Amino acid sequence: MAARTKSAKDRPSYRCTECGWTTVKWLGRCPECQAWGTVEEYGAPAVRTTAVGRVSTAALPIGQIDGRQATARSTGVDELDRVLGGGLVPGAVVLLAGEPGVGKSTLLLDVAAKAASDEHRTLYVTGEESASQVRLRADRINAVHDHLYLAAETDLSAVLGHLDAVKPSLLILDSVQTVASPEIDGAPGGMAQVREVAGALIRASKDRGMSTLLVGHVTKDGAIAGPRLLEHLVDVVLHFEGDRHARLRLVRGVKNRYGTTDEVGCFELHDEGITGLADPSGLFLTRRDEPVPGTCLTVTLEGRRPLVAEVQALTVESQIPSPRRTTSGLETSRVSMMLAVLEQRGRISALGKRDIYSATVGGVKLSEPAADLAIALALASAASDSPLPKNLVAIGEVGLAGEVRRVTGVQRRLAEAHRLGFTHALVPSDPGKIPAGMRVTEVADVGDALRVLPRGRQGGSGDASRRERAEAPREEEARR
């Protein structure tokens, strides 16, 4: 029995150098992280038990814990403070992820300069650029400060050495996938390396009471690259998103241990850097003296923030057997549903054989059902070639039976529309408190909503409407 036990103890084991997964036999591909050629032999792990150790601090009743040490400090960027819940908490670790070129480095360099002061130093560590390249960006966006320290490092031990030398209150690492530890096997950005680097920086942040901002890469599917454990270890996870062809950028909170995840920060990216937008609705609207057919306004909720957005639609004669259906900023499936509802419930027959283009203004993406009524009215307006009344907003979800359903936050949406000067709104039944001076029309179905179009044109096509306007002067001349 003793010999058999000794043979089992001496049996070799195999471990993946990327994720640490272990097995008793060699495999060409790790089943855990799906990496090839990373399973290597190593000695069988000895069975250990953890002995009782000395505690660092005695456990106290929660009422005796001093909560003032966790008071948030402003980053100097109001829109980022909104998403963080007031600012950065000492010892908190924040993970900011986004697609390449969206503006993560520009935003964090601006935060580094505004958060630096005589009492609070900021250390900006870059692993993707040289120090001179970051300095050029800092000059362009006016982010140069005497207490902002800059270092270009890709070695974890060197980064920890900079922490001892600078003693910052805020550390910004761009990015966590470029830093590696010499004690861990594997290339920078691997699962084992990302786990080790993040763990070391989290321990340093908690021990020093230092806030840390980590930049994370994303995969082609938009998920944060690296082990899922990274999102569990950090305190806050933020997503920085936006269309690179548009000026609007949004910061959304996915996880926040110190505040709500309902807030959204809005930024505008321009040549001089990035600035927060306290009132971003102007980016999503087109101001005109006279209304144009095929346009309708709605109020969408980004988190808890109401934003007024414009939906545009255009219908033209199709030159191919299968008409085109093109969308930008809108979900294609919802636009197709609104087309079917208008044709079946609204008795608009001019949409089936025409090319239809629908889009939003300013690069905003409307995915919530509250924009259904605005999409339907924009399509109906384009089909009849007749504009909707000026200063009209439409809010409501449209069902397949043509009914207009209630949505959340109607009062906040109406208040935002009234603040921007809109005087008329189409809403579902029972909207609640209505702002003073605003005319609200409750609609039960699509038929009620289509009555805002000029009479006699709700079900007509654009060609018929144009023919009517062209023949009107001739009829008048004949009567004379």
Side-chain angles (χ1 to χ4, degrees):
M1 180 65 67
R4 187 177 303 173
T5 304
K6 182 177 179 180
S7 175
K9 185 181 295 186
D10 296 338
R11 182 183 304 166
S13 298
Y14 299 87
R15 178 176 60 186
C16 176
T17 58
E18 287 292 328
C19 65
W21 179 80
T22 59
T23 181
V24 296
K25 62 179 181 179
W26 182 87
L27 296 173
R29 185 179 186 180
C30 175
E32 183 70 18
C33 64
Q34 306 299 322
W36 288 94
T38 58
V39 179
E40 298 179 356
E41 181 180 353
Y42 82 110
V47 179
R48 298 188 181 94
T49 58
T50 302
V52 178
R54 181 181 301 176
V55 298
S56 57
T57 56
L60 298 175
I62 192 171
Q64 299 180 14
I65 304 297
D66 186 8
R68 292 174 296 180
Q69 298 179 359
T71 302
R73 183 171 67 92
S74 174
T75 62
V77 180
D78 295 337
E79 289 299 304
L80 185 59
D81 289 342
R82 175 199 293 267
V83 183
L84 292 173
L88 288 171
V89 175
V93 180
V94 181
L95 177 63
L96 177 66
E99 295 183 355
V102 75
K104 303 184 298 296
S105 300
T106 303
L107 173 62
L108 293 184
L109 186 57
D110 184 46
V111 170
K114 291 182 178 179
S117 62
D118 297 337
E119 297 82 11
H120 302 283
R121 296 180 178 180
T122 301
L123 175 61
Y124 189 101
V125 179
T126 175
E128 301 179 346
E129 303 173 277
S130 64
S132 58
Q133 290 174 327
V134 178
R135 171 60 195 269
L136 289 177
R137 187 190 303 117
D139 291 335
R140 177 172 58 88
I141 66 175
N142 194 21
V144 179
H145 197 278
D146 293 338
H147 295 282
L148 171 57
Y149 292 80
L150 178 63
E153 297 287 353
T154 57
D155 186 82
L156 177 60
S157 59
V159 174
L160 297 177
H162 283 298
L163 295 181
D164 293 333
V166 178
K167 295 180 173 59
S169 299
L170 172 61
L171 168 66
I172 298 177
L173 178 61
D174 186 11
S175 63
V176 68
Q177 276 88 359
T178 60
V179 178
S181 173
E183 301 178 358
I184 302 297
D185 297 331
M191 291 190 177
Q193 287 287 0
V194 171
R195 184 185 294 111
E196 176 65 21
V197 172
L201 294 178
I202 290 173
R203 289 191 298 269
S205 299
K206 304 302 182 184
D207 295 340
R208 301 169 183 267
M210 170 188 68
S211 302
T212 301
L213 283 169
L214 304 177
V215 176
H217 295 168
V218 296
T219 63
K220 62 181 180 181
D221 297 329
I224 300 177
R228 191 74 175 181
L229 179 65
L230 180 61
E231 299 181 51
H232 292 283
L233 291 176
V234 299
D235 301 305
V236 182
V237 179
L238 304 179
H239 274 278
F240 198 31
E241 59 188 42
D243 186 358
R244 63 174 57 196
H245 302 294
R247 297 181 298 169
L248 177 67
R249 298 292 186 270
L250 297 177
V251 176
R252 300 179 185 272
V254 179
K255 170 188 175 182
N256 193 349
R257 289 174 177 167
Y258 309 109
T260 180
T261 57
D262 293 335
E263 291 291 353
V264 175
C266 298
F267 297 87
E268 182 180 9
L269 188 66
H270 44 76
D271 295 338
E272 293 76 22
I274 189 168
T275 56
L277 293 175
D279 188 7
S281 295
L283 293 177
F284 313 141
L285 301 177
T286 303
R287 295 293 185 179
R288 307 180 183 89
D289 295 334
E290 296 296 332
V292 177
T295 62
C296 186
L297 300 175
T298 187
V299 186
T300 182
L301 284 181
E302 290 290 346
R304 292 187 298 176
R305 167 183 285 187
L307 301 176
V308 178
E310 180 176 338
V311 179
Q312 296 183 343
L314 179 65
T315 64
V316 295
E317 285 292 337
S318 179
Q319 304 298 325
I320 57 178
S322 299
R324 296 183 181 92
R325 301 288 185 264
T326 305
T327 61
S328 176
L330 299 170
E331 291 184 353
T332 305
S333 59
R334 301 207 71 88
V335 175
S336 300
M337 288 172 56
M338 293 305 102
L339 289 173
V341 170
L342 287 175
E343 185 171 356
Q344 185 69 22
R345 310 298 180 185
R347 305 303 179 187
I348 299 179
S349 58
L351 296 172
K353 299 181 180 180
R354 299 175 67 87
D355 293 337
I356 298 176
Y357 304 89
S358 55
T360 58
V361 174
V364 64
K365 294 182 179 180
L366 299 181
S367 58
E368 65 167 342
D372 287 352
L373 187 57
I375 296 173
L377 288 176
L379 293 170
S381 174
S384 61
D385 197 25
S386 55
L388 294 167
K390 193 176 181 180
N391 295 328
L392 171 71
V393 295
I395 304 168
E397 178 185 0
V398 178
L400 294 180
E403 77 280 9
V404 179
R405 302 172 181 170
R406 296 186 59 187
V407 294
T408 60
V410 175
Q411 297 182 17
R412 277 184 290 165
R413 300 173 197 260
L414 291 177
E416 178 68 11
H418 181 261
R419 185 183 68 84
L420 294 176
F422 298 98
T423 57
H424 186 198
L426 296 181
V427 297
S429 59
D430 193 15
K433 185 178 180 180
I434 300 174
M438 191 171 191
R439 184 164 60 95
V440 174
T441 302
E442 299 181 20
V443 292
D445 52 29
V446 172
D448 292 342
L450 292 178
R451 293 193 179 97
V452 300
L453 291 171
R455 184 171 300 176
R457 294 183 182 176
Q458 291 91 335
S461 66
D463 294 338
S465 300
R466 283 189 288 269
R467 263 194 316 270
E468 291 174 5
R469 289 198 297 270
E471 294 173 357
R474 301 176 187 174
E475 296 176 357
E476 182 67 23
E477 184 178 354
R479 283 196 296 269
R480 291 176 183 175

